[in-house]
Amino acid sequence: MKYLLLTLLLVSRFTTHAQQLPLTTVTEMARSLTDQQVLTATGRDELIRFAGGQPLKLYEGLDTVALQGITQSIFVADAGLIDRIPGQTRIPPALLDSLAHIDHYPWSGHTEQFAEEQFLQQQFPSRCDLYNFLLFAADFYRFNYTNDLSYNNTLATLVSRIGSWFGPAMTPLFKDTAVEFSVNDQTDTPEAQQERVKTFAPYLNWVAIFQQAGFLPASDHVIQQYYNNGKNIFATTHHSSFLQELGKYITYLDKYPYLREQQLHHLDSLQQTGFIDSTQKKQIITRYKPFTLLSSDDILSGCNNAVPLYTATDIKPYDCIPQNEYGLIPPASIQTVFKTVTDKISRKILPLTVTDIRIYKQKPGSNGLYPYQEQLALSRSAKLLSATLLLNNQLYKETIDEKEFESWIRPENFQFLNHYLEDQHDNRRFYFITPNRFTHYEPLPDTVFLALLTEQQATLLQSPYLFDRIKGCYNGSPGDYDYAVYPGDYFQLSSRLSKTQIDSFVAICQQHQVLPAGNTALLQATIREQNPAGYRAALSCSPACFDSQDNLYSLLTGTQRALQQMLPHNKLFFTQLPEHRNGTQQPSSGFMFNKQIYRVPASGEATDFSNEIVVKTINKALSGHGLPYRLYQVSDNSEVFNGHSYVLMKPAAAQALRSLSAEIFPVTGSSR
């Protein structure tokens, strides 16, 4: 209780910090900056005039028409830029309101940011108003004072007057040069980190200056603590970029009462949805600390529908981030993680009876390379490992995609949980939640959570005041392992084939030898893992399905490979015929099959697939040699650049598949 009272007292004192500053406080702040030689007496007086809404001396005697051509761009609500005359950084409330109502880019979709800007408008003058006034003016001077301005007397006078605002303490900004820290995570040492801390120290002088002037609370040392850790110093640094970073933090502090209010509002809504109860909400609120917002650990650690995965014990010991070699993830690690996750969920959220977890490790090719190494320039997907899990006697499959410099533990690896919920007719879904860093200075997250949410709860949690993005445990779209969509899409089950549809599809395909016979449950799980949006995507699992560019050579090559898959001992081959032109050989629109020549009619050139004459000619060749298969163009595949998908199958199989969906093959398809 004593800690709670202290927290509330500090937050209450901080709330007053964000309110409108009295002119006496502004005068004290301006005097401190003058004493520290950031401002001259001229700059001090202009800052006070700005805070009081009085006309600036800056523009006295200048041509107002000429001033219209001298502007400075200012960001508004993180959405876009407007041009203001230097020194006029305050955006009138009427202009802010009008921008907020523009419903097209770049202003649309920034409702929360505009609400925050409007909150700050009501506090004018706040500390961030004063800081931005000085920073924008200093930047304008820094960009112009070294230029020859003899061509524009008004601009020259304006630059000179702004320069007279600032004292010698601003010299590091006006003489700014970049300091670059070259850091390699693999070779970094504590000694090198400490050396970077010493090199960075002069930039922290700005924090001391503005803290002494009252722009930052005297008790707030998060910036100094953050940069006293050399691991956080790793990029190019300028005085100008650090001052911009400091300005963002001052703005955050001024917004804090509003941000905290929004968090509390979302907690109320989460309680109404049943995600937390009143006792849990009270406990969560006690975790507020001065100047900070609630983290995912604060909110989720006590919830009944969320389980933590701790980096130190649940992730890091089983994690593998490949650097130069691939195929290094130990299968036992995969098995341990899946067992840990299912055990935690079963103990706290819902019962999961996992009777079998098996890991399959793909072997390298004859050249010793894994698929990722062979196709590095063509594809990001390695898919070197897969896992099958038997939950309540239903088989589920997961593919582990090993990627360069990236962990394998990702939301998509737990998709089986949501497929299981679908099978149980449960409308809730699991989400992968990592902490949202509000100020850049919070510690790096060491815990992620798997949370079971309703659609309404997911929408509430995905908020800039809680978590910018929560990741659903799904492969977001057919065949796209790296894409995760936003929460609303996970509840649109009509966009994907259902389990019943997939099971029927597999049964028909196995009956007609379109898919291999054997482990039916594994085939069903394999197709389901890709979340196919339609039967065309599901058909891509057939060994006789292939993508082809719109040229005769590509189509003949694909057909030959498919034929070898269906008839491994086949000795018949497609060969494109050469054509002699001007003494050279060029590909023609004809081909040979089993020593018999076939010509594509002149009206159907090799690059013209609109009437599918080429496909019909191939089918004529197959029929003429007594082969039972025909080539079918599958409905358009947008993933094939300048081409289409095709499949080799028996006509009876095509007819059976049409019974599932008439759209699986084009209306004027190649079946004739």
Side-chain angles (χ1 to χ4, degrees):
M1 179 61 70
K2 183 183 295 184
Y3 175 75
L4 174 60
L5 291 175
L6 176 61
T7 300
L8 293 176
L9 177 61
L10 288 170
V11 171
S12 175
R13 289 178 59 190
F14 178 72
T15 301
T16 61
H17 164 81
Q19 294 176 351
Q20 186 178 37
L21 297 174
L23 195 57
T24 53
T25 301
V26 174
T27 302
E28 292 173 4
M29 296 169 71
R31 184 179 295 117
S32 175
L33 291 175
T34 306
D35 293 342
Q36 296 181 80
Q37 296 188 310
V38 172
L39 294 179
T40 63
T42 302
R44 175 198 63 203
D45 294 343
E46 286 287 65
L47 180 62
I48 294 171
R49 290 189 192 95
F50 169 75
Q54 300 173 1
L56 300 179
K57 296 284 187 182
L58 177 65
Y59 300 112
E60 286 186 355
L62 296 182
D63 184 353
T64 56
V65 176
L67 282 175
Q68 294 176 2
I70 302 173
T71 59
Q72 184 177 32
S73 295
I74 298 174
F75 271 100
V76 182
D78 297 333
L81 297 167
I82 61 172
D83 290 328
R84 306 289 293 163
I85 298 176
Q88 294 185 356
T89 56
R90 189 188 183 195
I91 303 170
L95 175 57
L96 185 64
D97 290 340
S98 66
L99 293 175
H101 287 90
I102 296 177
D103 60 356
H104 59 80
Y105 182 84
W107 309 108
S108 62
H110 291 266
T111 304
E112 292 90 355
Q113 291 90 336
F114 274 109
E116 294 167 15
E117 291 289 339
Q118 287 161 339
F119 170 80
L120 292 176
Q121 283 281 357
Q122 297 166 5
Q123 316 304 318
F124 183 87
S126 63
R127 286 164 171 79
C128 67
D129 290 318
L130 305 182
Y131 185 89
N132 288 335
F133 173 78
L134 296 176
L135 181 61
F136 290 159
D139 275 343
F140 184 82
Y141 177 72
R142 180 168 65 93
F143 284 127
N144 289 285
Y145 83 102
T146 58
N147 297 332
D148 179 8
L149 304 178
S150 58
Y151 65 91
N152 189 328
N153 291 333
T154 300
L155 178 58
T157 302
L158 195 62
V159 171
S160 176
R161 289 181 179 181
I162 290 179
S164 70
W165 292 3
F166 299 107
M170 295 293 282
T171 300
L173 174 63
F174 299 143
K175 303 292 185 182
D176 204 1
T177 56
V179 174
E180 184 172 350
F181 300 100
S182 181
V183 180
N184 185 324
D185 291 340
Q186 306 303 312
T187 59
D188 198 16
T189 63
E191 293 76 18
Q193 294 166 12
Q194 192 57 39
E195 189 63 31
R196 295 200 297 275
V197 170
K198 294 178 182 178
T199 305
F200 196 87
Y203 298 97
L204 294 178
N205 290 338
W206 297 111
V207 180
I209 288 172
F210 284 97
Q211 200 156 33
Q212 182 176 333
F215 285 80
L216 295 161
S219 60
D220 187 2
H221 303 293
V222 295
I223 300 179
Q224 296 94 323
Q225 292 170 354
Y226 181 80
Y227 286 110
N228 279 336
N229 184 347
K231 292 182 179 180
N232 297 324
I233 304 171
F234 50 80
T236 302
T237 301
H238 309 75
H239 284 282
S240 58
S241 62
F242 184 79
L243 282 169
Q244 291 171 2
E245 180 183 331
L246 180 59
K248 291 179 181 178
Y249 186 66
I250 292 172
T251 300
Y252 162 81
L253 292 177
D254 276 348
K255 288 181 180 180
Y256 180 81
Y258 178 83
L259 302 177
R260 185 176 185 275
E261 180 184 356
Q262 293 303 307
Q263 275 204 331
L264 291 172
H265 173 71
H266 277 72
L267 289 181
D268 290 339
S269 299
L270 286 171
Q271 180 186 346
Q272 293 171 8
T273 66
F275 185 70
I276 55 176
D277 58 32
S278 59
T279 301
Q280 290 170 331
K281 186 178 72 173
K282 291 177 183 177
Q283 292 173 342
I284 291 171
I285 292 174
T286 64
R287 296 171 186 147
Y288 271 109
K289 299 175 183 177
F291 321 126
T292 63
L293 297 172
L294 296 172
S295 69
S296 60
D297 192 64
D298 294 328
I299 296 172
L300 300 174
S301 59
C303 295
N304 298 330
N305 287 339
V307 295
L309 296 179
Y310 302 109
T311 299
T313 57
D314 296 329
I315 296 178
K316 193 172 182 180
Y318 313 106
D319 210 356
C320 180
I321 304 178
Q323 300 296 319
N324 300 308
E325 298 183 23
Y326 302 90
L328 300 179
I329 300 177
S333 296
I334 305 290
Q335 194 169 36
T336 301
V337 170
F338 280 132
K339 188 174 189 310
T340 299
V341 169
T342 52
D343 285 350
K344 285 191 173 191
I345 290 173
S346 187
R347 287 195 300 267
K348 186 175 182 180
I349 301 180
L350 53 84
L352 290 176
T353 304
V354 185
T355 55
D356 194 16
I357 302 176
R358 299 189 183 188
I359 310 301
Y360 304 88
K361 189 176 180 70
Q362 184 171 334
K363 297 179 180 179
S366 57
N367 58 1
L369 299 177
Y370 288 96
Y372 192 101
Q373 295 168 302
E374 290 179 324
Q375 302 177 24
L376 190 60
L378 303 176
S379 171
R380 300 180 65 198
S381 184
K383 300 186 178 178
L384 300 176
L385 283 167
S386 61
T388 57
L389 302 93
L390 196 63
L391 275 69
N392 294 13
N393 294 321
Q394 175 64 48
L395 191 69
Y396 301 91
K397 180 177 178 292
E398 294 294 338
T399 298
I400 308 304
D401 190 2
E402 201 176 67
K403 291 172 54 185
E404 191 174 15
F405 309 125
E406 186 170 331
S407 164
W408 68 266
I409 298 177
R410 306 162 66 196
E412 296 91 331
N413 299 133
F414 304 107
Q415 174 177 250
F416 70 94
L417 294 170
N418 285 338
H419 281 167
Y420 172 79
L421 289 171
E422 289 178 27
D423 295 342
Q424 301 301 310
H425 306 290
D426 191 328
N427 290 328
R428 297 172 298 173
R429 296 293 178 265
F430 274 98
Y431 291 83
F432 199 80
I433 301 177
T434 56
N436 190 11
R437 303 180 70 193
F438 295 98
T439 66
H440 172 71
Y441 304 115
E442 289 96 344
L444 288 172
D446 59 1
T447 306
V448 298
F449 286 86
L450 277 171
L452 181 61
L453 308 173
T454 66
E455 181 179 7
Q456 186 180 17
Q457 291 165 352
T459 301
L460 287 170
L461 282 175
Q462 182 165 282
S463 159
Y465 306 112
L466 294 177
F467 315 113
D468 272 341
R469 184 172 183 180
I470 62 176
K471 300 178 180 178
C473 297
Y474 263 117
N475 293 344
S477 62
D480 187 349
Y481 196 81
D482 302 313
Y483 179 65
V485 292
Y486 283 87
D489 293 340
Y490 295 127
F491 296 90
Q492 298 171 5
L493 299 183
S494 60
S495 65
R496 295 179 288 115
L497 293 181
S498 68
K499 181 181 183 301
T500 301
Q501 289 173 312
I502 290 173
D503 291 351
S504 298
F505 171 81
V506 170
I508 290 176
C509 287
Q510 285 189 318
Q511 178 185 351
H512 292 277
Q513 294 85 48
V514 177
L515 290 172
N519 195 333
T520 300
L522 182 59
L523 263 175
Q524 293 168 339
T526 299
I527 294 174
R528 190 181 188 190
E529 185 202 8
Q530 299 302 318
N531 295 311
Y535 292 105
R536 184 212 60 76
L539 196 58
S540 65
C541 294
S542 168
C545 188
F546 62 93
D547 295 333
S548 172
Q549 300 299 310
D550 283 351
N551 62 71
L552 182 59
Y553 175 78
S554 178
L555 190 54
L556 290 175
T557 302
T559 304
Q560 186 66 52
R561 286 198 302 266
L563 191 59
Q564 292 298 128
Q565 290 288 337
M566 304 308 289
L567 296 173
H569 304 295
N570 170 61
K571 302 298 183 181
L572 306 180
F573 294 94
F574 288 94
T575 305
Q576 186 174 5
L577 295 174
E579 183 173 298
H580 297 274
R581 294 182 185 176
N582 300 324
T584 63
Q585 286 189 348
Q586 298 180 359
S588 76
S589 57
F591 62 87
M592 180 179 291
F593 186 62
N594 194 28
K595 299 181 180 181
Q596 185 172 343
I597 294 176
Y598 293 85
R599 295 286 182 183
V600 179
S603 59
E605 295 294 334
T607 57
D608 180 10
F609 279 66
S610 60
N611 57 9
E612 301 175 10
I613 294 179
V614 177
V615 178
K616 288 184 178 181
T617 307
I618 291 176
N619 282 336
K620 180 180 178 182
L622 293 171
S623 175
H625 287 79
L627 296 175
Y629 299 102
R630 299 293 178 268
L631 189 63
Y632 294 82
Q633 179 186 319
V634 185
S635 295
D636 289 344
N637 181 0
S638 59
E639 297 175 4
V640 182
F641 176 73
N642 192 29
H644 298 86
S645 291
Y646 297 87
V647 65
L648 198 67
M649 64 174 63
K650 296 178 181 179
Q655 184 176 353
L657 286 174
R658 283 199 181 99
S659 69
L660 291 178
S661 172
E663 298 178 354
I664 193 168
F665 304 116
V667 175
T668 58
S670 53
S671 57
R672 291 179 295 175

